[in-house]
Amino acid sequence: MMTYPKCPICEMDDQVVLVKTYQKIGAAVGGVAGAATGYVGAKIGRVTGEIIETVIPVGNGLGVVAGVLAGAIAGFFAGSAIGSDVGEHIDRNIVSRYNCNRCDYEFDV
């Protein structure tokens, strides 16, 4: 379990939370980068879609489109998760900015 510092104003520690600025930024940047990288996955997905379409003829290339979308979405989620983890590490170990929910004081440790 994560322990948080005491608030320097009200001296409570059960109401103190980590400010997750870089976790949010990391998730957004990672999601965009993952979606861009997902383009490569989309190309693989396109091939997969073509194979699916030869087995199950959906018509008009819908299997290919589904494969491309699946690759891009998978890249987005993977990038977002990785970016969020990196951002949380920065928030927790480098920035160390906390907020007290009781008195709304924001402080560094």
Side-chain angles (χ1 to χ4, degrees), residues 5-12 16 100 102-107:
K6 285 188 175 185
C7 174
I9 301 299
C10 67
E11 298 187 4
M12 296 295 291
V16 174
C100 177
R102 182 170 183 232
C103 66
D104 203 32
Y105 182 70
E106 197 166 294
F107 59 95

Side-chain angles (χ1 to χ4, degrees), residues 19-92:
V19 177
K20 298 179 179 180
T21 303
Y22 289 95
Q23 183 179 8
K24 293 174 186 174
I25 292 170
V29 171
V32 171
T37 306
Y39 178 73
V40 174
K43 288 191 172 258
I44 295 169
R46 180 174 180 254
V47 172
T48 305
E50 288 173 352
I51 293 169
I52 291 171
E53 195 155 287
T54 59
V55 176
I56 306 169
V58 182
N60 296 332
L62 289 177
V64 173
V65 172
V68 169
L69 286 175
I73 290 170
F76 171 80
F77 283 119
S80 182
I82 292 168
S84 177
D85 287 347
V86 169
E88 182 180 13
H89 178 77
I90 292 170
D91 282 330
R92 193 172 306 283

